[in-house]
Amino acid sequence: MHVIEDLNDYLQSNPTMPSIYDPASTGRDFRARWDQDGCSNFRAQILHYATKMREAYDAETVNDSVAAWQDAFGPSFNKPAVEAAQKSLPAEQFIDTMLRIPIRLENRVTLFGRVRRAGVVRAYDLPRREDRVQKDRTIDFELRDLDVTGPYEVYWKVKNHGSEAVQAGQPRGDVIVGGDTRYESTAFVGSHYVEMYIVQNNVCVAKDRQPVIIQPR
């Protein structure tokens, strides 16, 4: 939504076709592949769709929103099939508002994920591959750089996003007590995360998050 509106703002402020330089820094200007008529048509179409999308986004009811989206993209646009499933799923938990553990981040900790070896596929540190991993792998999570002294507890949250997790009834998002390490399997495609909290004297004094982007095999 915001990308389309930002693009529309730029185009409406710049009616003349701009230079389009090669992002590979070759110095080539790709505007020779287009012309002013094509650019003007593109500008008009983006204005049309940005207006329709804003109407859909600001609609007061779901039905009005769907009708506005259909006006923009055609009658085949429908509500996501997972909507009904989402309504019946448990709500995500938050350590401060639901467990009544205040957050006062006075210490440091790093949550680190490492993907286990699978057959001939080597193990690797999740951040080295931009937090990406294929389905059906196992990830070990551990705490690093923790500077908390004295007794503490570790709370964990695993949150899944995406239609596969929702349709399987596994969005998760509960906050539970655990140890300094844990492992998880990569079962559902989507952008998920694992979050941990260091709790001392019933106060969360440090926390960190490891994104987990699961891709199809």
Side-chain angles (χ1 to χ4, degrees):
M1 180 69 227
H2 297 298
V3 173
I4 291 295
E5 288 190 326
D6 289 346
L7 176 59
N8 180 59
D9 289 343
Y10 174 82
L11 290 171
Q12 302 315 311
S13 300
N14 296 272
T16 302
M17 184 173 65
S19 296
I20 308 172
Y21 290 108
D22 184 356
S25 301
T26 64
R28 297 178 59 193
D29 187 349
F30 291 147
R31 65 180 292 169
R33 300 183 180 182
W34 216 2
D35 57 28
Q36 183 59 48
D37 288 342
C39 182
S40 297
N41 180 61
F42 178 71
R43 180 169 172 265
Q45 292 300 318
I46 290 297
L47 173 62
H48 169 77
Y49 284 109
T51 302
K52 293 295 183 181
M53 291 170 68
R54 173 50 61 184
E55 292 175 1
Y57 192 81
D58 291 340
E60 294 185 358
T61 69
V62 172
N63 289 336
D64 287 345
S65 178
V66 171
W69 286 115
Q70 289 176 336
D71 188 30
F73 298 120
S76 61
F77 182 94
N78 292 303
K79 291 185 291 185
V82 300
E83 181 177 298
Q86 286 179 313
K87 291 181 179 179
S88 64
L89 294 173
E92 179 180 358
Q93 293 185 348
F94 298 91
I95 194 168
D96 52 347
T97 58
M98 301 185 74
L99 274 67
R100 304 299 182 188
I101 298 176
I103 299 175
R104 300 171 191 158
L105 302 180
E106 301 173 350
N107 296 90
R108 182 183 68 251
V109 67
T110 299
L111 178 58
F112 191 84
R114 181 170 175 80
V115 181
R116 291 184 188 177
R117 178 171 181 162
V120 298
V121 183
R122 295 180 179 180
Y124 64 90
D125 297 337
L126 197 53
R128 289 178 64 91
R129 298 193 182 177
E130 299 180 333
D131 305 318
R132 299 178 185 276
V133 60
Q134 289 186 330
K135 288 184 66 172
D136 303 321
R137 300 292 297 272
T138 301
I139 307 174
D140 292 301
F141 297 92
E142 65 177 35
L143 310 185
R144 296 186 179 182
D145 306 319
L146 178 61
D147 66 353
V148 176
T149 58
Y152 62 84
E153 292 182 303
V154 182
Y155 286 70
W156 294 85
K157 176 163 75 172
V158 179
K159 181 58 181 170
N160 294 331
H161 292 282
S163 59
E164 285 191 1
V166 171
Q167 290 171 355
Q170 291 291 324
R172 301 179 69 175
D174 51 325
V175 179
I176 61 174
V177 178
D180 286 357
T181 63
R182 70 178 293 123
Y183 70 89
E184 293 285 340
S185 299
T186 60
F188 309 111
V189 170
S191 295
H192 319 300
Y193 68 82
V194 176
E195 199 164 63
M196 50 70 54
Y197 317 86
I198 302 298
V199 176
Q200 189 174 57
N201 299 322
N202 203 42
V203 174
C204 176
V205 296
K207 68 185 184 75
D208 197 22
R209 174 184 292 192
Q210 170 66 73
V212 181
I213 303 172
I214 303 177
Q215 300 176 317
R217 296 186 64 177

